Amino acid sequence: MIMIRFDILTVFPEMFTSPFQVSLLKKAQERGLIEIGVHNIRDHALDRHRMTDDAPYGGGCGMVMKVEPIDRALSSVRRINERSVVVLLTPQGECFSQLVAEELAAYSQIILICGHYEGVDERVRQHLSDREISIGDYVLTGGELSAMVVVDAVGRLIPGVLGNSESTLSESFSMGLLEYPQYTRPSEYRGWKVPDVLISGHHREIDRWRRRESLRRTLIRRPDLLKDADLSAEDKMILQTLTEEY
Ligand code: ADE
């Protein structure tokens, strides 16, 4: 059963050929868990030159994406019986996060509009989109890479897309803490050793070490995450000693 259908509206559909043809998203499509449709906005431009952009009213440099081709493209992909959400990718949007990815994963159709040029006609924001999302405080040449990021982050939340169903539970951000350090064989390489506790086989000790390292890493790298993290009394004590240590 298809869990989520993504429809991407873009003027550069060729950008999407390889990213979705590899790895987990490829498998997810093959197994029918997700569907991804990429649609060229230009196919919905009706004028002789099939223009998707035009000069801004009021003057100024650059071009603005036109509203009609986007509206027509939207009408052609929107599925009436689905729980759909229309997302405009733009640096002016709310910042994308694990929480936003989880919210989007509740829909059955996600339509992503990739903005371009100097901007998108304001009526697309006002009347056609439900949400505006930015993937970070930097400006890309267009919304295509951002759409890929959203499809990837939401797609992997669909049950069955990841091999191990626990792997979305214990990872960075969904628990509110950064992940603990991971090691694999060999236990020593060029004198660089794996911490003894991980080789000890004492599972309780290993769990405690991992929790402590998660807390340490979050405290050092992303202390802002701690205020929303789910912390036990013991976690708070550990944080206290770590804070004194640094
Ligand atoms: N388009 C251009 N820059 C972007 C960004 N940072 N996030 C989303 N869409 C964009």
Side-chain angles (χ1 to χ4, degrees):
M1 185 189 58
I2 301 289
M3 308 285 289
I4 295 197
R5 180 175 169 87
F6 296 92
D7 285 292
I8 299 164
L9 312 187
T10 171
V11 285
F12 294 116
E14 61 275 22
M15 275 182 81
F16 292 87
T17 38
S18 56
F20 299 144
Q21 294 310 322
V22 294
S23 188
L24 291 175
L25 291 186
K26 178 186 183 193
K27 283 208 197 97
Q29 290 172 89
E30 287 170 351
R31 286 155 59 203
L33 297 171
I34 63 172
E35 261 178 3
I36 305 174
V38 180
H39 312 274
N40 194 340
I41 296 170
R42 195 172 297 283
D43 294 341
H44 300 273
L46 288 185
D47 62 291
R48 242 175 352 119
H49 302 291
R50 298 173 74 206
M51 275 175 48
T52 57
D53 60 332
D54 206 339
Y57 273 119
C61 55
M63 298 290 266
V64 176
M65 281 181 89
K66 289 161 69 69
V67 61
E68 314 99 285
I70 292 176
D71 190 23
R72 295 174 58 82
L74 270 176
S75 304
S76 80
V77 302
R78 203 193 299 262
R79 302 197 169 182
I80 300 303
N81 293 322
E82 303 284 347
R83 278 170 294 124
S84 298
V85 63
V86 178
V87 176
L88 175 65
L89 283 318
T90 161
Q92 300 180 24
E94 66 179 310
C95 209
F96 192 52
S97 64
Q98 193 63 28
L99 188 68
V100 175
E102 282 161 18
E103 284 170 14
L104 292 179
Y107 291 90
S108 59
Q109 185 187 26
I110 301 175
I111 303 173
L112 299 159
I113 305 173
C114 305
H116 248 279
Y117 312 111
E118 292 303 301
V120 178
D121 189 302
E122 186 65 16
R123 290 164 291 188
V124 173
R125 298 176 200 285
Q126 284 180 328
H127 304 292
L128 300 179
S129 48
D130 301 311
R131 267 180 113 137
E132 295 173 44
I133 291 179
S134 161
I135 62 159
D137 287 340
Y138 40 81
V139 181
L140 302 167
T141 55
E144 279 74 13
L145 290 167
S146 322
M148 290 174 208
V149 167
V150 172
V151 171
D152 194 284
V154 175
R156 65 187 286 292
L157 294 176
I158 310 303
V161 170
L162 296 187
N164 172 1
S165 60
E166 282 181 0
S167 36
T168 58
L169 283 180
S170 68
E171 69 193 6
S172 297
F173 294 112
S174 55
M175 287 201 317
L177 295 178
L178 299 184
E179 228 176 326
Y180 48 78
Q182 296 272 29
Y183 299 86
T184 186
R185 274 182 278 262
S187 64
E188 184 171 343
Y189 177 71
R190 291 176 57 189
W192 305 329
K193 287 193 178 142
V194 174
D196 287 338
V197 59
L198 297 179
I199 300 162
S200 69
H202 292 132
H203 293 292
R204 246 212 333 263
E205 285 300 307
I206 292 173
D207 286 346
R208 288 183 58 198
W209 182 87
R210 286 181 165 166
R211 185 72 185 173
R212 190 182 176 85
E213 293 310 307
S214 266
L215 290 164
R216 184 199 305 277
R217 199 156 261 201
T218 312
L219 179 68
I220 293 170
R221 298 185 181 193
R222 293 294 307 277
D224 57 300
L225 295 177
L226 289 172
K227 65 180 184 327
D228 295 325
D230 196 4
L231 300 175
S232 67
E234 194 186 338
D235 290 336
K236 288 178 187 159
M237 270 168 49
I238 294 171
L239 277 170
Q240 183 65 39
T241 48
L242 287 172
T243 309
E244 283 158 15
E245 218 174 278
Y246 288 103

